[in-house]
Amino acid sequence: MISNDQKMTISLIENMDELKLKIFLFHNLESVDPHLYKLLFSAIKRKNLSTRVWQALNYMSGNKRLGWGKPYSKDFWSEIYFYDVILRTEKFFKNMPNIGKKSVNEIKEYLEEYGLKLNTDLKDIKYEALKSLSLINLKHDYLFVEKRGFSK
């Protein structure tokens, strides 16, 4: 039996947009499902990507530092997380300045190392969040991860 509080939480999560869901999961998911938290909120590392791709990711996330040096602050908004990238499509990246097929393939290969992929549906992430928060009772096999496990 689901309580009224659980029903309200389910309804809130289902109606959240991308940004509100990101903030909610960032602050609430680590203690209940560290594996899913790590999949979504591991920061993308500069050393693993070309300068062109790194600058595109910074441009996408609105960071002004354009990939050079370290972020000025170590807060929620100064990092680029997997969450930010997996929700985007190939077309999104190809429409960015100085990004072509080779750069998009680099992003896809980087994500594949972790079992992730571009064009992940926000509904899949919401579904996994509900499972992790024990608001729906199903086994943990993340829909948006191609192969189970966080390999790096």
Side-chain angles (χ1 to χ4, degrees):
M1 187 76 177
I2 298 176
S3 71
N4 286 336
D5 288 341
Q6 289 173 321
K7 286 180 185 177
M8 188 174 74
T9 304
I10 290 169
S11 177
L12 284 172
I13 289 173
E14 288 177 345
N15 293 316
M16 285 182 181
D17 63 11
E18 180 183 323
L19 181 59
K20 288 179 183 175
L21 183 66
K22 178 182 178 180
I23 294 168
F24 175 80
L25 294 178
F26 187 82
H27 294 292
N28 296 296
L29 193 60
E30 188 172 22
S31 60
V32 293
D33 192 345
H35 185 76
L36 181 58
Y37 180 86
K38 190 174 181 182
L39 278 171
L40 295 175
F41 296 109
S42 288
I44 293 179
K45 305 293 185 215
R46 162 70 178 101
K47 66 180 180 178
N48 299 333
L49 298 168
S50 68
T51 300
R52 181 181 304 256
V53 170
W54 182 250
Q55 288 177 342
L57 294 177
N58 275 282
Y59 179 82
M60 173 197 77
S61 66
N63 289 342
K64 302 287 189 242
R65 66 185 195 272
L66 293 176
W68 305 110
K70 295 189 177 192
Y72 299 111
S73 64
K74 196 80 169 146
D75 65 2
F76 178 70
W77 301 108
S78 68
E79 297 287 344
I80 304 167
Y81 301 105
F82 284 116
Y83 179 91
D84 301 316
V85 178
I86 64 175
L87 292 171
R88 308 292 172 248
T89 63
E90 280 188 49
K91 186 177 181 180
F92 173 86
F93 284 108
K94 286 181 181 176
N95 287 330
M96 293 177 76
N98 298 321
I99 295 295
K101 188 174 184 177
K102 186 176 177 183
S103 297
V104 170
N105 286 339
E106 182 180 341
I107 294 168
K108 287 167 60 176
E109 288 170 10
Y110 182 71
L111 292 175
E112 284 173 9
E113 292 177 25
Y114 298 92
L116 301 170
K117 60 185 181 202
L118 289 177
N119 202 23
T120 298
D121 194 347
L122 190 62
K123 290 178 185 178
D124 291 344
I125 294 175
K126 289 178 181 181
Y127 178 78
E128 299 304 335
L130 291 172
K131 286 193 322 188
S132 296
L133 296 169
S134 299
L135 295 173
I136 55 178
N137 190 16
L138 296 167
K139 65 179 183 169
H140 289 293
D141 54 346
Y142 304 118
L143 293 175
F144 62 91
V145 178
E146 288 184 2
K147 59 184 179 191
R148 182 82 164 109
F150 194 76
S151 60
K152 283 199 175 185

